[in-house]
Amino acid sequence: MRSSIFAWRTSKMSAEMNRWNSSRSCIINFLPNFNVSSRCSKNCFIAGSLEIKMSRKGISTEEKKARMLQLFYERKEFFQLKDLEKIAPKEKGIIVNSVKDVLQSLVDDGAVDTDKIGTSIYFWAFPSKALNSKKRKANELEDQLAEANKKLKLTVDSITELKSGCDNSRERNGYLDEIMELEIQKKVLDKDMEKYADCNPITLRRMQEQTTKLKEAANRWTDNVFNVKSWCKRKFNMEDQELDKQFGIPADFDYVD
């Protein structure tokens, strides 16, 4: 009896292991990105695990907007937000949580119209609106192109005119030589002017302004010294000569005229 049970259990375990190995081979051959791990010890199947990592690529915002517009163009109806939150996920694969943001983006772009009727807000967009919008944009681009071509023609004509006036004539070469000579003379005169920079009226005026400011500052400090001397005389009952000697103040110390 025991031998029969053991044989039955062995055959069943062998069949299970063969079936798992077969499944593992299929997974590895057809799904190479799946990670499969297994462990076997002493002819006994202990454990098996299958780890599948799948990445779902989300729909971009522009794709959602295109799908939402397509829904409007196909239905040609007026919708409320709650209607679109039910229809868009089923027909266009746009998740419910993003329907409101996508719709508002289309409204901001002017691709979808909206209006409040009573207490409800309705949204709509028809293919004719998109066609008219594209025609209007095409007309604007054509006007811009025409204006750019006009400016380009004016620029080309101006360049052509300037080139025609730059011919290497004898008169032109004479003017160029004269300009070069005048530039050399100017450099020489500038060097001579540097020697007499101290006599420059502008420099003299600046020096006078600085001298006035320095005199005012010197007299201000002189006044401060006299104030300190007066305070010391009253506080310590000292004479001028003694104070001048203690603080090294010259006998002819006075305001600057």
Side-chain angles (χ1 to χ4, degrees):
M1 184 69 177
R2 290 182 179 178
S3 61
S4 299
I5 294 173
F6 178 77
W8 176 81
R9 291 180 62 185
T10 303
S11 62
K12 187 170 182 60
M13 183 178 291
S14 178
E16 290 291 336
M17 190 168 183
N18 290 334
R19 186 164 58 253
W20 185 86
N21 285 331
S22 178
S23 300
R24 180 175 179 272
S25 299
C26 292
I27 292 170
I28 292 174
N29 291 332
F30 293 99
L31 301 174
N33 292 329
F34 291 171
N35 296 325
V36 182
S37 61
S38 61
R39 295 180 58 190
C40 297
S41 176
K42 294 182 180 182
N43 298 327
C44 292
F45 169 69
I46 299 177
S49 65
L50 175 63
E51 180 182 358
I52 301 175
K53 295 181 178 179
M54 301 180 65
S55 62
R56 295 184 60 188
K57 186 177 181 180
I59 305 174
S60 65
T61 303
E62 293 301 322
E63 178 66 19
K64 292 177 182 177
K65 292 166 66 175
R67 293 187 182 186
M68 184 69 75
L69 272 179
Q70 187 180 16
L71 174 62
F72 278 106
Y73 295 161
E74 291 174 353
R75 290 289 190 112
K76 299 179 182 179
E77 299 176 12
F78 296 86
F79 298 97
Q80 290 182 279
L81 177 60
K82 61 182 180 180
D83 300 328
L84 293 171
E85 288 178 341
K86 294 178 181 178
I87 300 172
K90 296 178 181 179
E91 296 189 7
K92 299 302 178 182
I94 304 173
I95 60 176
V96 177
N97 295 335
S98 64
V99 170
K100 183 177 180 180
D101 294 335
V102 173
L103 187 59
Q104 185 60 47
S105 179
L106 290 172
V107 171
D108 295 339
D109 294 342
V112 172
D113 294 319
T114 181
D115 197 4
K116 186 175 183 180
I117 303 175
T119 58
S120 302
I121 300 176
Y122 289 88
F123 302 89
W124 69 92
F126 300 107
S128 58
K129 176 181 175 64
L131 180 61
N132 293 332
S133 178
K134 289 181 180 179
K135 287 182 178 180
R136 184 170 58 254
K137 186 64 176 179
N139 292 332
E140 292 177 358
L141 292 175
E142 288 178 357
D143 294 339
Q144 292 178 7
L145 179 60
E147 185 67 22
N149 288 332
K150 183 179 179 181
K151 291 181 180 180
L152 177 62
K153 186 178 183 303
L154 291 175
T155 304
V156 172
D157 293 342
S158 178
I159 293 174
T160 303
E161 184 179 355
L162 290 174
K163 286 183 177 179
S164 63
C166 293
D167 295 335
N168 292 325
S169 61
R170 183 177 300 177
E171 183 180 3
R172 176 174 175 272
N173 292 334
Y175 288 141
L176 290 175
D177 293 339
E178 185 176 356
I179 290 172
M180 291 180 64
E181 292 179 0
L182 291 174
E183 288 180 349
I184 294 173
Q185 292 179 11
K186 181 178 181 300
K187 290 180 180 179
V188 174
L189 293 174
D190 289 340
K191 289 183 179 180
D192 292 339
M193 287 289 292
E194 291 177 359
K195 299 177 182 179
Y196 306 101
D198 294 339
C199 299
N200 191 328
I202 298 176
T203 304
L204 290 175
R205 185 165 61 251
R206 290 177 180 173
M207 292 177 63
Q208 289 175 354
E209 293 174 355
Q210 291 177 357
T211 301
T212 302
K213 292 180 179 180
L214 291 173
K215 286 175 61 177
E216 292 175 353
N219 289 331
R220 185 166 56 253
W221 281 104
T222 301
D223 192 53
N224 292 337
V225 170
F226 284 145
N227 290 332
V228 172
K229 286 179 64 177
S230 298
W231 182 83
C232 290
K233 287 170 63 177
R234 293 194 304 271
K235 184 72 174 177
F236 303 106
N237 195 20
M238 299 175 65
E239 297 295 333
D240 287 339
Q241 294 80 2
E242 188 176 358
L243 286 171
D244 292 343
K245 184 178 180 181
Q246 290 291 334
F247 292 103
I249 300 175
D252 59 349
F253 181 78
D254 203 350
Y255 295 98
V256 180
D257 295 332

